[in-house]
């Protein structure tokens, strides 16, 4: 080994340019591996910050005749509606869709990340608002969905932590929305993209700890007729909380019974 070390040193001294490149390459390689482990440790290994996280699952759809588009697809809204009506394996199911708003209240126009979410999402994750409330089921309908919940970050940066924001209206995309609540600092809501790529039968540890672009505004999902068309896009994330004692395998079997009936209505092309 000592002979090899001396030989390597003599080679490097004869070619100082090569030596610099080799050392930098080694340093970058070590740095990259360290960065990868840091992300893995922070994203995949950190415990979920939700009550009874072992009961949280992400749901995706598998359509064999569409397998050429990918092994699993995001969720179609009308399928979600049928699961919620018929499934007996879940304490709650929630649909999540990402969107953006142009906020014009409280300062200069600003593009803000937002989400459409089922009212069940907040209790499903065990998240209580710091101010006000979250959404009611009655507000989860087109026409009654112009209510929003704000993040603590947006409440602080845009509205200076004014408690009077609850009950007031703000302009989003030129339309008035009533603020009904503010989430506590550190509240973590999965984004739609974080709900993709993780079928029901897999662990959601990586899913719910992903550090995606955080939303600052939430509105009721309010499934519209266009969302329920047979050929509507498979475009949304879905999160569920299993009932106590219900296994993932049992939930999969339950959903597959419902999904088999749905799949029979899909066109061949």
């Amino acid at each position: 080994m000592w002979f090899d070390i001396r030989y390597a040193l003599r080679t490097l001294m004869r070619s100082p340019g090569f030596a610099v490149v080799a050392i930098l390459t080694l340093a970058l390689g070590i740095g990259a591996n360290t960065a990868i482990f840091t992300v893995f440790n922070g994203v995949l290994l950190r415990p979920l910050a939700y009550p009874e996280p072992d009961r949280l699952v992400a749901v995706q759809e598998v359509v064999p005749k569409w397998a050429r588009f990918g092994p699993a697809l995001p969720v179609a809204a009308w399928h979600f509606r049928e699961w919620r009506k018929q499934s007996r394996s879940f304490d709650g199911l929630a649909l999540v869709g990402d969107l953006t708003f142009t906020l014009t209240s409280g300062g200069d126009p600003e593009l803000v990340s937002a989400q459409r979410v089922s009212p069940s999402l907040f209790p499903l994750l065990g998240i209580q608002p710091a101010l006000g409330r979250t959404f009611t089921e009655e507000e989860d309908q087109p026409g009654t969905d112009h209510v929003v919940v704000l993040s603590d970050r947006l409440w602080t940066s845009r509205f200076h932590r004014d408690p009077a924001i609850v009950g007031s209206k703000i302009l989003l995309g030129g339309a008035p929305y009533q603020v009904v609540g503010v989430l506590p600092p550190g509240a973590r809501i999965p984004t739609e993209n974080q709900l993709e790529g993780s079928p029901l039968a897999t662990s959601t540890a990586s899913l719910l700890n992903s550090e995606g672009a955080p939303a600052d505004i939430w509105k009721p999902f309010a499934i519209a007729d266009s969302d329920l068309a047979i050929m509507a896009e498979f475009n949304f994330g879905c999160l569920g909380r299993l009932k106590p004692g219900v296994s993932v395998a049992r939930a999969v079997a339950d959903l597959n019974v419902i999904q088999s009936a749905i799949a029979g209505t899909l066109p061949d092309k």
Side-chain angles (χ1 to χ4, degrees):
M1 185 180 67
W2 179 240
F3 174 81
D4 289 340
I5 292 174
R6 285 187 298 174
Y7 176 77
L9 288 174
R10 287 198 301 270
T11 301
L12 291 174
M13 290 176 65
R14 286 198 298 268
S15 305
F18 171 78
V20 171
V21 172
I23 291 169
L24 288 175
T25 301
L26 183 62
L28 288 172
I30 294 172
N33 280 288
T34 301
I36 289 169
F37 176 77
T38 301
V39 172
F40 180 87
N41 184 63
V43 172
L44 299 181
L45 303 182
R46 190 171 51 196
L48 298 179
Y50 305 107
E52 299 182 273
D54 57 311
R55 291 170 53 203
L56 287 174
V57 293
V59 185
Q60 281 192 303
E61 301 200 46
V62 177
V63 182
K65 55 190 170 185
W66 291 356
R68 64 184 182 275
F69 300 114
L73 299 170
V75 169
W78 75 285
H79 299 178
F80 166 82
R81 185 186 64 174
E82 296 306 310
W83 301 341
R84 190 169 56 178
K85 287 180 182 177
Q86 301 180 46
S87 175
R88 300 294 179 264
S89 297
F90 297 91
D91 272 344
L93 285 165
L95 207 57
V96 179
D98 295 338
L99 68 157
T100 56
F101 281 123
T102 299
L103 172 63
T104 54
S105 299
D108 294 332
E110 177 184 358
L111 194 64
V112 180
S113 295
Q115 288 182 316
R116 301 168 68 187
V117 299
S118 302
S120 56
L121 180 68
F122 299 106
L124 188 149
L125 294 175
I127 294 176
Q128 297 291 331
L131 290 177
R133 60 174 178 85
T134 55
F135 309 129
T136 66
E137 290 295 330
E138 290 73 23
E139 290 167 338
D140 194 32
Q141 302 293 331
T144 61
D145 60 328
H146 275 220
V147 292
V148 292
V149 169
L150 307 181
S151 71
D152 180 82
R153 177 176 53 251
L154 185 66
W155 179 45
T156 300
S157 64
R158 189 79 178 196
F159 302 105
H160 313 293
R161 303 188 72 81
D162 181 3
I165 191 66
V166 175
S168 65
K169 292 187 177 181
I170 61 175
L171 289 176
L172 298 171
Y177 284 77
Q178 184 178 29
V179 178
V180 297
V182 177
L183 295 190
R188 297 165 57 212
I189 309 292
T191 68
E192 177 189 330
N193 289 334
Q194 291 163 9
L195 293 174
E196 295 177 8
S198 189
L200 180 62
T202 66
S203 167
T204 58
S206 62
L207 167 72
L208 296 180
N209 279 283
S210 297
E211 298 296 339
D216 281 312
I217 294 176
W218 293 269
K219 70 171 291 293
F221 198 98
I223 296 174
D225 289 342
S226 58
D227 296 318
L228 297 174
I230 291 178
M231 290 303 294
E233 293 182 355
F234 289 78
N235 204 31
F236 306 111
C238 180
L239 193 69
R241 179 174 286 278
L242 298 172
K243 288 183 176 180
V246 173
S247 66
V248 169
R250 178 178 162 188
V252 170
D254 180 24
L255 287 183
N256 279 342
V257 171
I258 303 168
Q259 196 68 2
S260 63
I262 293 174
T265 67
L266 296 175
D268 292 331
K269 296 181 180 180

